[in-house]
Amino acid sequence: MRLKLLETTDPRVYDDAVRNMPITSALQGWGYGEARRVLGQTPMRYLIADEAGRTVGALQLLRKRLVPGFSTLYAPRGPALESLDLLPAVAEAIKAVAKPTDAILKIEPPVPLPAEEGSEIPESYGPFRRAESEQPEHTILADLGRSEDELFAGLHSMARRNVRTAQKLGVVAGRDDDFDAFWEIFTATNERAKLGAYPRAYYETLLREGNAHGGEAYIVLSRHQGKALAGGFFLGMGAGTYYLFGGSVRDDRVDEAGKPLKDSKAPDAFYWNAMLDAKQRGYTLFDFWGIPRILDEEKHSFGVFKMKLKFSEQRAWYPAYDLPLNAAAPAIVKALRWRKTQNNKRKRGSAEDVL
């Protein structure tokens, strides 16, 4: 089968195609590309058409300049497709629109693979070969198609207990327009864990543009006595919503006698109410986002993993695949890995990735 990429500049037409594909992700949405533009990356959007002119997919490519004379192409959690069987033909179609300076194409097919012992991950799709992912490769998912009672019964006993405690203490969690409160939580978490972050304008753009054309970007905060203690940033499209950024802050408040307030379990309330909010708005897939590849109790990411695991035990993989586009590809891959290692050492004093 031969496919053709039809470039589009119409956000509504493009997002409609992304939203309606059975294999899709909000990171293929128009708004995500606009946020990446803030980082100096150039988004390009295409409808994928078959020989009869029928739309069988949608593709957002980000062109990222490296050194003068070279760039990479990247489809964040994409492409959106009717079937993974189309990927070999997609590769040929992308070659037809790639520039001579594009050295590598990276895709991340948005089909979660069970992270169970014995599960096999394909090493290739046609000319695409298994490679290092840019988005977190490992995640935890929750099926929101069950009833609220079934969802709650499926939580770890500690999560159920903490959610009830938060309710008794008057914690309120839900959608919130207070970006400054989210930013304070997110910044404090990043500084505490030495995670690093993009400029504030990136998140503000994603919040604005993620809502503008057919997707949904929103913030959920968990508050105790009015103070935001935990929260996160979500990007939704189609059947799925994705918890991309967030965290919590320590509650150092005291009561009238000067004693520390009882732990309000605000993070647990945040996760549970974010799941309920997504379910009530029609989402059936809740992606908790990144968890560690290798579990290490000394790393901040282990605590994050244990927290998310209390709310769902459905672990999954989103493997990535590369397609070399010119002879410089192997050297570019090595250089990018070296640069990532150096950034890790500078930010956290370790060559290891966060996840």
Side-chain angles (χ1 to χ4, degrees):
M1 176 184 290
R2 304 186 85 177
L3 299 177
K4 188 174 183 180
L5 300 187
L6 306 175
E7 189 166 11
T8 178
T9 57
D10 189 325
R12 291 286 178 180
V13 169
Y14 175 77
D15 270 4
D16 281 348
V18 173
R19 185 173 55 251
N20 291 317
M21 287 295 140
I23 298 173
T24 193
S25 165
L27 273 65
Q28 278 290 289
W30 191 281
Y32 187 80
E34 290 307 295
R36 287 282 167 160
R37 196 187 295 276
V38 174
L39 305 180
Q41 302 170 14
T42 303
M44 301 163 289
R45 291 87 171 197
Y46 302 92
L47 301 181
I48 304 174
D50 64 12
E51 293 171 310
R54 187 172 65 92
T55 298
V56 296
L59 172 66
Q60 177 164 246
L61 288 176
L62 303 176
R63 177 172 282 120
K64 300 191 285 186
R65 286 194 64 202
L66 302 175
V67 295
F70 289 107
S71 55
T72 62
L73 297 178
Y74 169 49
R77 283 284 176 92
L81 291 170
E82 284 190 349
S83 168
L84 292 183
D85 293 338
L86 298 173
L87 281 175
V90 169
E92 295 305 312
I94 292 175
K95 288 179 181 178
V97 301
K99 293 182 177 180
T101 52
D102 294 327
I104 306 164
L105 163 66
K106 183 182 293 293
I107 64 170
E108 295 166 339
V111 175
L113 303 177
E116 301 171 353
E117 189 171 345
S119 298
E120 294 187 4
I121 296 178
E123 288 300 314
S124 64
Y125 286 105
F128 290 105
R129 294 293 182 268
R130 180 86 187 276
E132 185 174 353
S133 63
E134 180 162 326
Q135 302 302 325
E137 187 177 40
H138 303 249
T139 189
I140 291 179
L141 306 174
D143 176 10
L144 301 182
R146 296 170 291 164
S147 70
E148 181 177 332
D149 289 342
E150 289 172 326
L151 281 175
F152 192 74
L155 305 185
H156 188 279
S157 59
M158 184 180 295
R160 295 197 302 270
R161 183 167 62 249
N162 289 349
V163 168
R164 292 190 182 105
T165 297
Q167 291 172 341
K168 290 178 181 178
L169 293 176
V171 173
V172 177
R175 295 206 181 189
D176 203 302
D177 294 330
D178 191 346
F179 183 88
D180 287 336
F182 158 76
W183 187 250
E184 181 180 343
I185 291 170
F186 181 53
T187 301
T189 301
N190 285 338
E191 291 176 351
R192 184 171 70 244
K194 300 180 180 179
L195 298 178
Y198 297 126
R200 176 169 171 151
Y202 171 80
Y203 305 94
E204 292 175 326
T205 301
L206 185 56
L207 185 60
R208 181 182 68 252
E209 296 295 329
N211 278 307
H213 312 295
E216 186 177 39
Y218 60 96
I219 290 169
V220 173
L221 295 179
S222 182
R223 296 178 180 271
H224 182 229
Q225 297 179 358
K227 181 176 176 59
L229 298 173
F233 187 117
F234 293 80
L235 192 64
M237 180 172 278
T241 188
Y242 305 82
Y243 168 40
L244 300 183
F245 319 106
S248 62
V249 293
R250 295 184 178 91
D251 189 359
D252 55 3
R253 293 173 299 163
V254 297
D255 61 19
E256 294 178 356
K259 295 181 179 180
L261 291 176
K262 184 178 180 180
D263 185 356
S264 62
K265 307 300 180 184
D268 295 82
F270 157 69
Y271 278 107
W272 174 239
N273 283 278
M275 292 171 66
L276 289 185
D277 171 86
K279 176 178 174 58
Q280 291 164 1
R281 295 172 189 266
Y283 293 111
T284 56
L285 174 71
F286 188 99
D287 191 332
F288 288 84
W289 217 236
I291 60 173
R293 295 184 181 89
I294 301 174
L295 298 182
D296 182 348
E297 295 187 14
E298 300 299 318
K299 296 175 69 173
H300 167 81
S301 56
F302 183 79
V304 174
F305 162 70
K306 295 294 287 184
M307 169 61 84
K308 294 177 179 179
L309 195 64
K310 291 193 302 183
F311 290 85
S312 177
E313 295 184 348
Q314 185 183 344
R315 298 170 62 179
W317 298 62
Y318 281 94
Y321 298 85
D322 280 359
L323 175 68
L325 296 175
N326 66 37
I332 295 292
V333 169
K334 290 181 180 179
L336 291 175
R337 178 65 260 183
W338 179 86
R339 185 172 69 179
K340 192 172 184 180
T341 297
Q342 298 308 307
N343 285 338
N344 289 340
K345 289 180 178 179
R346 188 183 72 254
K347 292 177 181 177
R348 292 181 297 278
S350 170
E352 296 181 7
D353 293 336
V354 173
L355 299 175

